[in-house]
Amino acid sequence: QVQLVESGGGLVQTGGSLRLSCVASGRSVSRYDMGWFRQPPGKEREFVASGSWTGALTYYADSVKGRFTISRDSARNTVYLHANNLKPEDTAVYYCAAGPLSTRIADYDYWGQGTQVTVSS
């Protein structure tokens, strides 16, 4: 079993930045790669970014490429999502997930509770 806890969301103006954190705990945490997803209000959950625990592989949605970066601190079992140049369309609940490296929601085994990001125009 793996537990994931996100933090770092909040209200930010257009063009601002946030760093979201996801702390992972439980057995064999290092076996899992990590992903970030988001669910905008009234819409379905969508892929944002994913990365291997080694950091060798990363994937990004086209909508965030060049603005968001996924990184991890293996010693702290923590994955980050650095979100820069935020836009109102980035407003969503952001979730981290643990599972095989993928862009697909169905491939992930464990999910956090989510953290709200609101970008004002």
Side-chain angles (χ1 to χ4, degrees), residues 38-44 88-93 116-117:
R38 67 186 181 186
Q39 187 162 13
K43 297 184 179 180
E44 295 185 349
E89 51 264 43
D90 295 317
T91 295
V93 178
Q116 176 71 48
V117 171

Side-chain angles (χ1 to χ4, degrees), residues 35-108:
W36 285 96
F37 294 79
R38 67 186 181 186
Q39 187 162 13
K43 297 184 179 180
E44 295 185 349
R45 195 171 298 190
E46 62 185 22
F47 169 75
V48 176
S50 60
S52 59
W53 266 114
T54 64
L57 295 173
T58 57
Y59 299 97
Y60 296 94
D62 288 343
S63 59
V64 305
K65 204 170 290 183
R67 300 188 297 123
F68 289 17
T69 302
I70 187 171
S71 67
R72 87 283 180 265
D73 183 338
S74 298
R76 291 183 169 82
N77 284 342
T78 301
V79 177
Y80 302 101
L81 184 68
H82 306 264
N84 299 315
N85 191 19
L86 284 159
K87 305 175 181 180
E89 51 264 43
D90 295 317
T91 295
V93 178
Y94 283 71
Y95 299 88
C96 70
L101 189 62
S102 174
T103 63
R104 303 197 314 161
I105 294 171
D107 289 338
Y108 285 84

Side-chain angles (χ1 to χ4, degrees), residues 12 83 118:
V12 64
T118 303

Side-chain angles (χ1 to χ4, degrees), residues 22-39:
C22 174
V23 179
S25 60
R27 300 181 65 179
S28 303
V29 168
S30 61
R31 294 175 54 188
Y32 295 92
D33 298 316
M34 300 295 290
W36 285 96
F37 294 79
R38 67 186 181 186
Q39 187 162 13

